[in-house]
Amino acid sequence: MANQDDQDRKLPASARKLKKAREDGNVPRSRDLGHFAMLAGGGLGLAVATPRLVDWLHQGLARGLHFNATAMREPTAMFTQLRDITQTLLWVVVPLGLWMTLIAIASGLAIGGWNFTLKPLMPKATPFNLIAGVTRLFAKQQLIDAIKASVLALILGTVGSLYLYRHVDEFRSLLSMPLPSGLAHAGSSIEHGLWLLLGVLALFALVDAPLQKFLNADKLKMSVQEQKQEHKESEGNQEVKGRQKQIMREASRRRMLAAVPTADLVVMNPTHYAVALKYDDARMAAPRVVAKGADLLAMTIRDTARGAQVPVLQAPMLARALYAHAEVDQEIPAALFAAVAQVLAYVYQLRAAMSGRGAMPGELPELPVPPELDPHTAKPSTEDAE
């Protein structure tokens, strides 16, 4: 079953899976590139510091071999001398160690980039499975790493042995040379051997770096089923999302119906649209829509308004324009100011007449609604224009 699942994984990893892999510390790394960088960087550092190192070594040997009668009479002088030697060594070791640390970090970032995570260090509460552990030992990645390391060790050992065999007389002659000359010749011989080893490591690094990228991408490949499951998880369960949207619509509907009794009037297209408007000149720059609806919701807004004694006016063109271009809890469009102002003035006159403070107004005048704001206004077709 596991083999069949591996065979089905032919699709490249998604961005989400790549991100999760980085969080888990699963990024491509090349050991051969690290070995080459460490050896090359260390050799470069030694080459740059060789003149100073030789000078320090010469001075250190001279001080160590020099007989000091004072040290024989004063035991504390020995500790002073040891302290000086230790400080000299630290001046060599610490900068070289920092340099090698920077090289190790840079070689790690070369193909996998920066990725800081402590997740691989966390203990995992998974049961011990001997069969699974043995299976991992013979996984494709482990076999490739083992074969590659064996071949590298064999080639490096062969190259090093051949180099030593061909230069054994040269190394033997160092014993008869003065110390400064012997150190210089030894350094030159080691440098030549180092270049040979660097050439071998460079070839392995050129192969291993892209190989590790390929193996990491191959390991993270996904099957069709995994992509579907990930898409489902990222998008969420459609039934749950549909239920959430329904709950939000119900809450919005209840909130609108609760605001209808506070409106100044409701404008309707007899059976299809209803828009409730409110205007307070002390707090509002323009009338606001407190509720709107179509079809059954429009009838509910109408009945709620009548139950709260809010005037309901039949203005089909204005109702359609407001429904199409105004949002709940937002001010009406500026193009409809004049039409809404006439409707509000009509409502105020009607309220004054009903309270005995004025004459009953006549029919609602024709409202100046721009035709382009009415979604039901028929636009002339190209054939008619022709």
Side-chain angles (χ1 to χ4, degrees), residues 1-19:
M1 194 71 177
N3 294 334
Q4 180 65 30
D5 184 62
D6 291 338
Q7 293 175 1
D8 292 339
R9 294 183 177 182
K10 298 180 180 179
L11 301 176
S14 62
R16 182 184 179 190
K17 186 169 184 179
L18 290 175
K19 180 180 178 182

Side-chain angles (χ1 to χ4, degrees), residues 346 361-366:
Y346 181 84
E363 295 184 357
L364 185 66
E366 183 177 354

